[in-house]
Amino acid sequence: MTISKFLPSEYTQALTSKSVSYASPSNIALIKYWGKQSVQIPKNPSVSFTLNTCKTTTTLHYEKRETFEDDFEVKVVLDGKHKPGFEAKIHQFFSRIVTYLPFVKDYTFVIDTSNSFPHSSGIASSASGLSAIALCLMDMEREMQPSIDDQYFIQKASFIARLGSGSGCRSLEGPLVVWGEHQDIKGSSDLFGISYPYEVHENFEDYQDAILLVDQGEKQVSSTVGHNLMHNHPFAPSRFDQANENILKLIEILKSGDLDAFVHLVESEALTLHAMMLTSTPYFILMKPNTLKIIDEIWEFRRETSIPVCFTLDAGANVHVLFPKKYKEEVQEFIKSTLSSYCQDKRYIFDNVGIGAIKL
Ligand code: DP6
């Protein structure tokens, strides 16, 4: 698979001004992406659950420019307020995608966006945000080239989202997405995410994710800085091998429905991600004392009840609590009565696995 597939052909239709809206969810990795090379190529394949209620809703307004300009013109509005601070990131994104969507220079854009989760929650909005923008831009391309079919549309949207946020390329479809080439996953690619192509046991249907907001501040380590820590990291080669092996284990687990094996694999992936940060130069501790207290409580609850609930982590202190739907009542009660006291302002979000982005 080469990138030439995503270069545009001659557009057949003219497009002046209009707007388009998409809602795109966040996702949570089971096998983690940590380490990349230029440009936005992952060092190992990853697999994620697409979320449902944690999402970004974006309306892209566009208007054809009168004259040819050699720069981009974008205004970002978040929750109704102009946010000039976010525009540099969009300019960088546009400069990465202009080869594939050259019309981004020909329009002035207003990106009007809002997140279903609070901005200060510590939940990264880059995956949902960039994938929503990618879809809006692809919708523009399809207006100008109506022969684009659904498969190309979704693949190129994921390819474009990846250039803004690696994990963003896993937000378009659901319930499980693979990004990164793996020899045993047919169709997998470093360039875009694909819907997980193999059998998934009913135990994983409508899987639940409760996000415990332990630390709602700004990210301590940006994802770019974080991924760069894997360059020259003494354990990087073994970590990349391990991720590939863990994907093989996950394929078996998803097929058999072995929840005990799932719990151990997912927790081990989360702790390995943090182990990479603990052992990099410079090193970081991104967990907070309450992250560890929550992990301890989850382990105790699991021992006492035999309910296969587990945790996973992103590059931060918040905890994702994953569990099968059939234990929803017991686990939600446990979160309310016990785990919420370790969250900042007792805040948590109950989410579940979803099917991906939708056009509004
Ligand atoms: C720890 O997708 O945020 O959440 O490609 O630089 O935008 P960029 O990084 P990003 O990295 C996410 C890393 C992770 C693990 C994962 O989601 O796989």
Side-chain angles (χ1 to χ4, degrees):
M1 175 72 60
T2 62
I3 52 173
S4 58
K5 179 179 175 183
F6 299 115
L7 294 170
S9 48
E10 280 289 300
Y11 296 137
T12 56
Q13 308 292 314
L15 187 62
T16 50
S17 67
K18 219 172 144 179
S19 64
V20 53
S21 306
Y22 269 89
S24 192
S26 192
N27 66 73
I28 179 69
L30 304 173
I31 307 294
K32 306 290 182 183
Y33 147 57
W34 197 240
K36 62 178 169 184
Q37 58 203 31
S38 200
V39 175
Q40 298 290 95
I41 297 297
K43 291 292 232 172
N44 64 261
S46 54
V47 178
S48 51
F49 269 145
T50 306
L51 297 184
N52 186 26
T53 57
C54 284
K55 62 182 176 216
T56 298
T57 300
T58 295
T59 298
L60 182 70
H61 303 274
Y62 50 90
E63 196 171 333
K64 187 103 189 217
R65 284 164 136 181
E66 299 286 316
T67 53
F68 175 78
E69 307 283 343
D70 201 27
D71 61 356
F72 307 117
E73 203 176 318
V74 195
K75 183 176 171 188
V76 178
V77 176
L78 174 67
D79 297 330
K81 288 194 196 89
H82 182 203
K83 294 279 175 182
F86 292 159
E87 287 161 10
K89 176 142 179 122
I90 301 297
H91 276 256
Q92 186 202 32
F93 174 50
F94 276 20
S95 62
R96 285 183 185 165
I97 65 171
V98 67
T99 314
Y100 310 101
L101 298 175
F103 61 82
V104 290
K105 273 193 177 162
D106 303 337
Y107 290 80
T108 58
F109 294 97
V110 178
I111 298 171
D112 196 341
T113 194
S114 63
N115 296 321
S116 66
F117 43 90
H119 182 57
S120 60
S121 62
I123 298 178
S125 59
S126 59
S128 51
L130 270 309
S131 55
I133 298 171
L135 284 159
C136 291
L137 292 170
M138 277 308 294
D139 194 271
M140 284 180 75
E141 178 162 75
R142 185 145 68 177
E143 292 264 350
M144 291 183 270
Q145 185 59 276
S147 61
I148 288 176
D149 65 25
D150 288 350
Q151 200 203 345
Y152 181 83
F153 180 92
I154 202 84
Q155 235 176 44
K156 184 163 173 181
S158 177
F159 173 87
I160 296 292
R162 185 198 100 239
L163 293 171
S165 155
S167 57
C169 81
R170 298 188 313 234
S171 276
L172 284 74
E173 298 176 276
L176 281 154
V177 175
V178 184
W179 168 42
E181 198 175 327
H182 188 283
Q183 57 176 17
D184 292 293
I185 302 189
K186 212 168 151 249
S188 59
S189 170
D190 286 347
L191 302 179
F192 48 81
I194 60 161
S195 202
Y196 179 75
Y198 302 129
E199 192 183 335
V200 179
H201 193 277
E202 62 179 2
N203 282 351
F204 298 104
E205 235 166 68
D206 198 15
Y207 224 70
Q208 306 289 302
D209 180 12
I211 306 158
L212 308 185
L213 307 176
V214 174
D215 182 21
Q216 302 176 32
E218 282 289 305
K219 269 188 174 179
Q220 193 184 325
V221 182
S222 78
S223 60
T224 305
V225 171
H227 288 287
N228 283 342
L229 297 174
M230 291 302 272
H231 295 311
N232 302 319
H233 190 297
F235 306 139
S238 8
R239 162 58 197 157
F240 302 142
D241 287 346
Q242 181 201 41
N244 277 280
E245 286 156 22
N246 282 348
I247 284 194
L248 276 182
K249 290 184 187 162
L250 185 65
I251 292 172
E252 273 313 304
I253 290 169
L254 290 175
K255 190 174 161 193
S256 67
D258 184 344
L259 291 171
D260 288 338
F262 179 79
V263 158
H264 291 113
L265 185 66
V266 168
E267 291 189 345
S268 168
E269 271 290 314
L271 294 175
T272 302
L273 169 72
H274 281 254
M276 291 299 108
M277 286 180 253
L278 290 168
T279 50
S280 52
T281 310
Y283 43 77
F284 294 96
I285 303 179
L286 299 186
M287 292 191 240
K288 297 282 180 204
N290 280 351
T291 311
L292 292 175
K293 287 190 180 137
I294 288 169
I295 292 174
D296 249 355
E297 293 279 7
I298 289 173
W299 285 348
E300 194 179 320
F301 179 80
R302 194 161 76 214
R303 258 195 318 271
E304 279 174 2
T305 62
S306 296
I307 292 177
V309 51
C310 67
F311 70 85
T312 188
L313 308 164
D314 271 340
N318 293 339
V319 182
H320 288 249
V321 186
L322 297 175
F323 49 98
K325 188 187 182 185
K326 83 174 198 203
Y327 301 109
K328 188 169 167 179
E329 226 170 273
E330 297 95 308
V331 179
Q332 288 195 344
E333 188 44 46
F334 163 60
I335 289 168
K336 283 182 202 156
S337 65
T338 308
L339 299 186
S340 69
S341 60
Y342 302 110
C343 301
Q344 215 176 324
D345 307 323
K346 293 191 170 246
R347 282 165 82 195
Y348 53 83
I349 297 168
F350 288 141
D351 206 341
N352 58 299
V353 166
I355 53 157
I358 49 163
K359 187 172 177 180
L360 302 172

PDB file of all heavy atoms in Angstrom, residues 27 29 31-34 36 40 46 126 164-168 170 219 223-224 227 273 314-315, ligand 1:
ATOM      1  N   ASN A  27     -11.196   7.186  21.445  1.00  0.00           N
ATOM      2  CA  ASN A  27     -10.996   5.726  21.504  1.00  0.00           C
ATOM      3  C   ASN A  27     -10.003   5.402  22.593  1.00  0.00           C
ATOM      4  O   ASN A  27      -9.244   6.279  23.036  1.00  0.00           O
ATOM      5  CB  ASN A  27     -10.556   5.172  20.137  1.00  0.00           C
ATOM      6  CG  ASN A  27      -9.183   5.654  19.715  1.00  0.00           C
ATOM      7  OD1 ASN A  27      -8.162   5.223  20.244  1.00  0.00           O
ATOM      8  ND2 ASN A  27      -9.148   6.595  18.765  1.00  0.00           N
ATOM      9  N   ALA A  29      -7.016   2.628  23.620  1.00  0.00           N
ATOM     10  CA  ALA A  29      -6.179   1.537  23.089  1.00  0.00           C
ATOM     11  C   ALA A  29      -6.079   0.386  24.082  1.00  0.00           C
ATOM     12  O   ALA A  29      -5.909   0.592  25.287  1.00  0.00           O
ATOM     13  CB  ALA A  29      -4.791   2.064  22.759  1.00  0.00           C
ATOM     14  N   ILE A  31      -4.021  -2.417  22.927  1.00  0.00           N
ATOM     15  CA  ILE A  31      -2.590  -2.553  22.623  1.00  0.00           C
ATOM     16  C   ILE A  31      -2.132  -1.154  22.230  1.00  0.00           C
ATOM     17  O   ILE A  31      -2.682  -0.550  21.305  1.00  0.00           O
ATOM     18  CB  ILE A  31      -2.343  -3.536  21.452  1.00  0.00           C
ATOM     19  CG1 ILE A  31      -3.033  -4.882  21.693  1.00  0.00           C
ATOM     20  CG2 ILE A  31      -0.840  -3.701  21.196  1.00  0.00           C
ATOM     21  CD1 ILE A  31      -2.512  -5.712  22.844  1.00  0.00           C
ATOM     22  N   LYS A  32      -1.142  -0.639  22.948  1.00  0.00           N
ATOM     23  CA  LYS A  32      -0.834   0.788  22.872  1.00  0.00           C
ATOM     24  C   LYS A  32       0.127   1.161  21.747  1.00  0.00           C
ATOM     25  O   LYS A  32       1.094   0.443  21.481  1.00  0.00           O
ATOM     26  CB  LYS A  32      -0.180   1.250  24.193  1.00  0.00           C
ATOM     27  CG  LYS A  32      -0.969   0.944  25.452  1.00  0.00           C
ATOM     28  CD  LYS A  32      -2.229   1.775  25.558  1.00  0.00           C
ATOM     29  CE  LYS A  32      -2.989   1.486  26.850  1.00  0.00           C
ATOM     30  NZ  LYS A  32      -4.250   2.233  26.930  1.00  0.00           N
ATOM     31  N   TYR A  33      -0.153   2.314  21.175  1.00  0.00           N
ATOM     32  CA  TYR A  33       0.752   2.978  20.221  1.00  0.00           C
ATOM     33  C   TYR A  33       1.651   3.906  21.023  1.00  0.00           C
ATOM     34  O   TYR A  33       1.165   4.832  21.664  1.00  0.00           O
ATOM     35  CB  TYR A  33      -0.126   3.731  19.209  1.00  0.00           C
ATOM     36  CG  TYR A  33       0.384   5.027  18.619  1.00  0.00           C
ATOM     37  CD1 TYR A  33       1.605   5.091  17.936  1.00  0.00           C
ATOM     38  CD2 TYR A  33      -0.399   6.190  18.680  1.00  0.00           C
ATOM     39  CE1 TYR A  33       2.033   6.294  17.355  1.00  0.00           C
ATOM     40  CE2 TYR A  33       0.015   7.382  18.095  1.00  0.00           C
ATOM     41  CZ  TYR A  33       1.235   7.435  17.452  1.00  0.00           C
ATOM     42  OH  TYR A  33       1.644   8.612  16.878  1.00  0.00           O
ATOM     43  N   TRP A  34       2.923   3.644  21.054  1.00  0.00           N
ATOM     44  CA  TRP A  34       3.846   4.529  21.781  1.00  0.00           C
ATOM     45  C   TRP A  34       5.181   4.474  21.064  1.00  0.00           C
ATOM     46  O   TRP A  34       5.915   3.492  21.181  1.00  0.00           O
ATOM     47  CB  TRP A  34       3.970   4.097  23.245  1.00  0.00           C
ATOM     48  CG  TRP A  34       4.557   5.158  24.132  1.00  0.00           C
ATOM     49  CD1 TRP A  34       5.695   5.078  24.882  1.00  0.00           C
ATOM     50  CD2 TRP A  34       3.999   6.466  24.384  1.00  0.00           C
ATOM     51  NE1 TRP A  34       5.900   6.246  25.564  1.00  0.00           N
ATOM     52  CE2 TRP A  34       4.869   7.121  25.272  1.00  0.00           C
ATOM     53  CE3 TRP A  34       2.869   7.156  23.933  1.00  0.00           C
ATOM     54  CZ2 TRP A  34       4.639   8.416  25.723  1.00  0.00           C
ATOM     55  CZ3 TRP A  34       2.642   8.454  24.386  1.00  0.00           C
ATOM     56  CH2 TRP A  34       3.517   9.054  25.270  1.00  0.00           C
ATOM     57  N   LYS A  36       6.820   6.635  17.349  1.00  0.00           N
ATOM     58  CA  LYS A  36       6.473   6.813  15.927  1.00  0.00           C
ATOM     59  C   LYS A  36       7.688   7.320  15.181  1.00  0.00           C
ATOM     60  O   LYS A  36       8.656   7.801  15.768  1.00  0.00           O
ATOM     61  CB  LYS A  36       5.311   7.791  15.773  1.00  0.00           C
ATOM     62  CG  LYS A  36       5.584   9.211  16.269  1.00  0.00           C
ATOM     63  CD  LYS A  36       4.393  10.130  16.030  1.00  0.00           C
ATOM     64  CE  LYS A  36       4.556  11.454  16.749  1.00  0.00           C
ATOM     65  NZ  LYS A  36       3.416  12.349  16.648  1.00  0.00           N
ATOM     66  N   GLN A  40       4.193  10.464  11.264  1.00  0.00           N
ATOM     67  CA  GLN A  40       3.051   9.782  11.876  1.00  0.00           C
ATOM     68  C   GLN A  40       2.940   8.308  11.494  1.00  0.00           C
ATOM     69  O   GLN A  40       1.838   7.812  11.253  1.00  0.00           O
ATOM     70  CB  GLN A  40       1.759  10.520  11.520  1.00  0.00           C
ATOM     71  CG  GLN A  40       1.681  11.949  12.020  1.00  0.00           C
ATOM     72  CD  GLN A  40       1.530  12.033  13.515  1.00  0.00           C
ATOM     73  OE1 GLN A  40       2.521  12.173  14.244  1.00  0.00           O
ATOM     74  NE2 GLN A  40       0.339  11.907  14.031  1.00  0.00           N
ATOM     75  N   SER A  46      -1.352  -1.057  16.814  1.00  0.00           N
ATOM     76  CA  SER A  46      -2.167  -0.892  18.023  1.00  0.00           C
ATOM     77  C   SER A  46      -3.609  -1.292  17.716  1.00  0.00           C
ATOM     78  O   SER A  46      -4.020  -1.325  16.556  1.00  0.00           O
ATOM     79  CB  SER A  46      -2.109   0.567  18.501  1.00  0.00           C
ATOM     80  OG  SER A  46      -2.473   1.457  17.465  1.00  0.00           O
ATOM     81  N   SER A 126      -7.665  15.219  20.943  1.00  0.00           N
ATOM     82  CA  SER A 126      -7.047  15.286  19.613  1.00  0.00           C
ATOM     83  C   SER A 126      -7.552  14.166  18.705  1.00  0.00           C
ATOM     84  O   SER A 126      -7.791  14.396  17.526  1.00  0.00           O
ATOM     85  CB  SER A 126      -5.523  15.284  19.713  1.00  0.00           C
ATOM     86  OG  SER A 126      -5.082  14.135  20.352  1.00  0.00           O
ATOM     87  N   GLY A 164      -2.897  14.192  11.594  1.00  0.00           N
ATOM     88  CA  GLY A 164      -3.130  15.160  12.669  1.00  0.00           C
ATOM     89  C   GLY A 164      -2.888  14.550  14.030  1.00  0.00           C
ATOM     90  O   GLY A 164      -2.284  15.150  14.911  1.00  0.00           O
ATOM     91  N   SER A 165      -3.357  13.332  14.213  1.00  0.00           N
ATOM     92  CA  SER A 165      -3.200  12.633  15.493  1.00  0.00           C
ATOM     93  C   SER A 165      -3.189  11.140  15.192  1.00  0.00           C
ATOM     94  O   SER A 165      -4.154  10.619  14.621  1.00  0.00           O
ATOM     95  CB  SER A 165      -4.384  12.962  16.411  1.00  0.00           C
ATOM     96  OG  SER A 165      -4.576  11.936  17.361  1.00  0.00           O
ATOM     97  N   GLY A 166      -2.104  10.486  15.557  1.00  0.00           N
ATOM     98  CA  GLY A 166      -1.977   9.059  15.256  1.00  0.00           C
ATOM     99  C   GLY A 166      -3.203   8.281  15.712  1.00  0.00           C
ATOM    100  O   GLY A 166      -3.863   7.592  14.916  1.00  0.00           O
ATOM    101  N   SER A 167      -3.550   8.421  16.990  1.00  0.00           N
ATOM    102  CA  SER A 167      -4.671   7.638  17.506  1.00  0.00           C
ATOM    103  C   SER A 167      -5.996   8.086  16.865  1.00  0.00           C
ATOM    104  O   SER A 167      -6.975   7.338  16.870  1.00  0.00           O
ATOM    105  CB  SER A 167      -4.744   7.729  19.032  1.00  0.00           C
ATOM    106  OG  SER A 167      -4.842   9.073  19.427  1.00  0.00           O
ATOM    107  N   GLY A 168      -6.025   9.281  16.297  1.00  0.00           N
ATOM    108  CA  GLY A 168      -7.234   9.786  15.637  1.00  0.00           C
ATOM    109  C   GLY A 168      -7.661   8.907  14.464  1.00  0.00           C
ATOM    110  O   GLY A 168      -8.852   8.829  14.143  1.00  0.00           O
ATOM    111  N   ARG A 170      -7.920   5.914  14.475  1.00  0.00           N
ATOM    112  CA  ARG A 170      -8.669   4.764  14.984  1.00  0.00           C
ATOM    113  C   ARG A 170     -10.073   5.157  15.441  1.00  0.00           C
ATOM    114  O   ARG A 170     -10.760   4.331  16.050  1.00  0.00           O
ATOM    115  CB  ARG A 170      -7.910   4.120  16.156  1.00  0.00           C
ATOM    116  CG  ARG A 170      -6.526   3.554  15.824  1.00  0.00           C
ATOM    117  CD  ARG A 170      -5.979   2.767  17.026  1.00  0.00           C
ATOM    118  NE  ARG A 170      -6.146   3.548  18.235  1.00  0.00           N
ATOM    119  CZ  ARG A 170      -5.182   3.862  19.114  1.00  0.00           C
ATOM    120  NH1 ARG A 170      -3.954   3.398  18.935  1.00  0.00           N
ATOM    121  NH2 ARG A 170      -5.447   4.577  20.168  1.00  0.00           N
ATOM    122  N   LYS A 219      -2.119  18.127  29.994  1.00  0.00           N
ATOM    123  CA  LYS A 219      -1.205  16.988  29.922  1.00  0.00           C
ATOM    124  C   LYS A 219       0.205  17.401  30.358  1.00  0.00           C
ATOM    125  O   LYS A 219       0.715  18.428  29.919  1.00  0.00           O
ATOM    126  CB  LYS A 219      -1.103  16.539  28.475  1.00  0.00           C
ATOM    127  CG  LYS A 219      -2.086  15.496  28.044  1.00  0.00           C
ATOM    128  CD  LYS A 219      -1.665  15.078  26.653  1.00  0.00           C
ATOM    129  CE  LYS A 219      -2.423  13.955  26.082  1.00  0.00           C
ATOM    130  NZ  LYS A 219      -1.959  13.653  24.718  1.00  0.00           N
ATOM    131  N   SER A 223       1.954  14.566  23.483  1.00  0.00           N
ATOM    132  CA  SER A 223       2.138  13.261  22.836  1.00  0.00           C
ATOM    133  C   SER A 223       3.387  13.256  21.957  1.00  0.00           C
ATOM    134  O   SER A 223       4.095  12.262  21.883  1.00  0.00           O
ATOM    135  CB  SER A 223       0.898  12.857  22.056  1.00  0.00           C
ATOM    136  OG  SER A 223       0.618  13.797  21.078  1.00  0.00           O
ATOM    137  N   THR A 224       3.703  14.390  21.334  1.00  0.00           N
ATOM    138  CA  THR A 224       4.904  14.432  20.485  1.00  0.00           C
ATOM    139  C   THR A 224       6.154  14.192  21.331  1.00  0.00           C
ATOM    140  O   THR A 224       7.002  13.364  20.978  1.00  0.00           O
ATOM    141  CB  THR A 224       5.003  15.799  19.771  1.00  0.00           C
ATOM    142  OG1 THR A 224       3.782  15.978  19.068  1.00  0.00           O
ATOM    143  CG2 THR A 224       6.167  15.864  18.818  1.00  0.00           C
ATOM    144  N   HIS A 227       6.110  10.414  22.440  1.00  0.00           N
ATOM    145  CA  HIS A 227       6.522   9.437  21.418  1.00  0.00           C
ATOM    146  C   HIS A 227       8.026   9.536  21.138  1.00  0.00           C
ATOM    147  O   HIS A 227       8.687   8.527  20.904  1.00  0.00           O
ATOM    148  CB  HIS A 227       5.733   9.657  20.127  1.00  0.00           C
ATOM    149  CG  HIS A 227       4.294   9.239  20.231  1.00  0.00           C
ATOM    150  ND1 HIS A 227       3.912   7.921  20.258  1.00  0.00           N
ATOM    151  CD2 HIS A 227       3.153   9.957  20.337  1.00  0.00           C
ATOM    152  CE1 HIS A 227       2.583   7.854  20.358  1.00  0.00           C
ATOM    153  NE2 HIS A 227       2.106   9.067  20.416  1.00  0.00           N
ATOM    154  N   LEU A 273       3.223   0.677  28.995  1.00  0.00           N
ATOM    155  CA  LEU A 273       3.266   2.050  28.467  1.00  0.00           C
ATOM    156  C   LEU A 273       3.899   2.984  29.507  1.00  0.00           C
ATOM    157  O   LEU A 273       4.803   3.769  29.204  1.00  0.00           O
ATOM    158  CB  LEU A 273       1.834   2.501  28.130  1.00  0.00           C
ATOM    159  CG  LEU A 273       1.605   3.977  27.818  1.00  0.00           C
ATOM    160  CD1 LEU A 273       2.196   4.339  26.460  1.00  0.00           C
ATOM    161  CD2 LEU A 273       0.111   4.318  27.826  1.00  0.00           C
ATOM    162  N   ASP A 314      -4.043   5.930  29.638  1.00  0.00           N
ATOM    163  CA  ASP A 314      -3.401   6.644  28.537  1.00  0.00           C
ATOM    164  C   ASP A 314      -2.123   7.247  29.095  1.00  0.00           C
ATOM    165  O   ASP A 314      -1.723   6.913  30.196  1.00  0.00           O
ATOM    166  CB  ASP A 314      -4.343   7.749  28.028  1.00  0.00           C
ATOM    167  CG  ASP A 314      -5.265   7.229  26.932  1.00  0.00           C
ATOM    168  OD1 ASP A 314      -4.928   6.204  26.328  1.00  0.00           O
ATOM    169  OD2 ASP A 314      -6.299   7.868  26.695  1.00  0.00           O
ATOM    170  N   ALA A 315      -1.560   8.205  28.368  1.00  0.00           N
ATOM    171  CA  ALA A 315      -0.338   8.833  28.863  1.00  0.00           C
ATOM    172  C   ALA A 315      -0.709   9.925  29.870  1.00  0.00           C
ATOM    173  O   ALA A 315      -0.479  11.114  29.656  1.00  0.00           O
ATOM    174  CB  ALA A 315       0.442   9.409  27.695  1.00  0.00           C
TER     175      ALA A 315
HETATM  176  C1  DP6 B   1      -0.767   6.678  24.983  1.00  0.00           C
HETATM  177  O1  DP6 B   1      -2.296   9.728  19.116  1.00  0.00           O
HETATM  178  O2  DP6 B   1      -2.012  11.335  21.023  1.00  0.00           O
HETATM  179  O3  DP6 B   1      -2.838   7.249  23.970  1.00  0.00           O
HETATM  180  O4  DP6 B   1       0.239  10.773  17.010  1.00  0.00           O
HETATM  181  O5  DP6 B   1       1.373  12.461  18.446  1.00  0.00           O
HETATM  182  O6  DP6 B   1      -1.098  12.621  18.046  1.00  0.00           O
HETATM  183  P1  DP6 B   1       0.115  11.716  18.173  1.00  0.00           P
HETATM  184  O7  DP6 B   1      -0.111  10.852  19.475  1.00  0.00           O
HETATM  185  P2  DP6 B   1      -1.420  10.300  20.136  1.00  0.00           P
HETATM  186  O8  DP6 B   1      -0.797   9.140  21.039  1.00  0.00           O
HETATM  187  C2  DP6 B   1      -1.623   8.323  21.799  1.00  0.00           C
HETATM  188  C3  DP6 B   1      -0.823   7.474  22.677  1.00  0.00           C
HETATM  189  C4  DP6 B   1      -1.576   6.676  23.701  1.00  0.00           C
HETATM  190  C5  DP6 B   1      -1.747   5.225  23.258  1.00  0.00           C
HETATM  191  C6  DP6 B   1      -2.745   4.954  22.192  1.00  0.00           C
HETATM  192  O9  DP6 B   1      -3.782   5.643  22.091  1.00  0.00           O
HETATM  193  O10 DP6 B   1      -2.509   3.994  21.433  1.00  0.00           O
END
